[in-house]
Amino acid sequence: MSGNRTILRAAEIIKEGGIVAFPTETVYGLGADAFNPLAVARIFEVKRRPYFDPLIVHVAHPADVKKLVKEIPSNAKKLIERFWPGPLTVVLFKEEDIPEIVTAGLSTVAIRMPNHPMALSLIKESKCPIAAPSANPFGYLSPTTAEHVQEQLGDQVDLILDGGPCLVGVESTILSFLEEKPRLLRPGGVSLEEIESIIGKVEVSPKEDDKPSAPGMLPRHYAPRTPIVLGWDEKNLDIYKNKKIGLLAFQETKNHLKFHSVEVLSKKGDIREAAANLFAAIRRLDALDLDLIMAESIPEIGLGRAIMDRLRRASQSLTSSPLVGGEKGEGELL
Ligand code: TXA
Ligand code: MG
């Protein structure tokens, strides 16, 4: 559904404690009033998401952050000025009144202002910040079209706003400001290079003693059902001789004949275009009942870092996931 009246209807649903799927520039989100714990609880149920995984709070104006956090460090301010609305999420110390279910009991909150007119109108008309994870079952690929949401969660959400395909295609970059030096928790739609050009070096390695503070950082996440192997060469193809294999190619490839099916992310090798196509292309391959998907590596510059991060997580073996504990498909996967 789309159009102004539909947005007003969606806002009514949010105010009444319902849940609405909505487009952002990165991926589709599944939103509820951030100050309504029962509504937020429904998001966790529908996604089958563990309660230790906090949500991002979406605002419609940078000034709305003040009410949600204790203080905004100057580096966070600079990035907000430069990149909002846009695919950057900042993690800051939270104000007490944000419900615990939103932040998984942490003393911090993740906040972003999405760059999509429908998302912004929805938040404004709802007159509350909207807590929203990506609108996919936990552990599966994020949706980049309204149809993806419809296929996987359609009968369980109150309304799906259709804003067309997401232009960025990978989730927001998450940056935490809890320590002296900002730390990258998840590479995403704003590149590390862009961030560092404004605030200088940021920490990119995970904190040593850390439990994964963002399940988007769990080894196996963003995973399709078909196993993915990252990187391939002719030798690999020999090993998998009688298997049905799909190729996820970065640019135009001459190897079509060697594979059952090929998805090219960007014919001309444009990383932005590749990111925008990534999840939909993996979904198409995943629907073909393949034995294996082989994915080409992409240069880790700009958005390439976020793409490779998602591909690495999608390609982790099931048993190496801390949540799976040897049980195939338990927990982290659908
Ligand atoms: O682009 C995006 O960020 C999309 C759109 C819908 O805005 N949202 C999204 O949400 O990707 P989700 O829930 O799929 O991923 C949010 C990540 C999770 O991995 C979560 O653990 C992390 O953000 N996160 C949320 N609050 C946090 C906090 N206080 N500290 C550290 N990580 C946090
Ligand atoms: Mg997600």
Side-chain angles (χ1 to χ4, degrees), residues 52-131:
F52 65 74
D53 187 359
L55 306 184
I56 295 176
V57 175
H58 296 71
V59 296
H61 198 279
D64 297 342
V65 177
K66 277 201 209 96
K67 292 167 248 167
L68 301 172
V69 304
K70 299 266 189 230
E71 96 171 274
I72 312 174
S74 65
N75 278 339
K77 265 188 207 140
K78 283 185 202 157
L79 295 179
I80 285 173
E81 264 166 34
R82 170 67 184 78
F83 295 114
W84 280 13
L88 175 74
T89 296
V90 295
V91 174
L92 303 168
F93 287 106
K94 76 174 189 103
E95 268 310 346
E96 259 82 59
D97 58 349
I98 302 176
E100 296 239 310
I101 188 167
V102 173
T103 61
L106 297 173
S107 56
T108 61
V109 61
I111 308 176
R112 88 174 188 100
M113 177 181 173
N115 187 14
H116 194 293
M118 280 177 111
L120 293 173
S121 308
L122 176 67
I123 302 165
K124 277 182 204 147
E125 296 295 342
S126 303
K127 299 189 169 41
C128 59
I130 292 188

Side-chain angles (χ1 to χ4, degrees), residues 26-27 56 87 89 112 134 142 170-176 183-190 195 214-217 221-222 305-306 309-310 313:
T26 58
V27 300
I56 295 176
T89 296
R112 88 174 188 100
S134 49
S142 298
V170 289
E171 300 84 346
S172 61
T173 302
I174 306 181
L175 209 55
S176 105
R183 187 181 289 275
L184 180 72
L185 297 184
R186 176 177 77 181
V190 175
I195 288 170
M217 299 176 77
H221 205 81
Y222 309 108
R305 181 185 283 263
D309 171 79
R310 306 306 187 266
R313 290 177 205 286

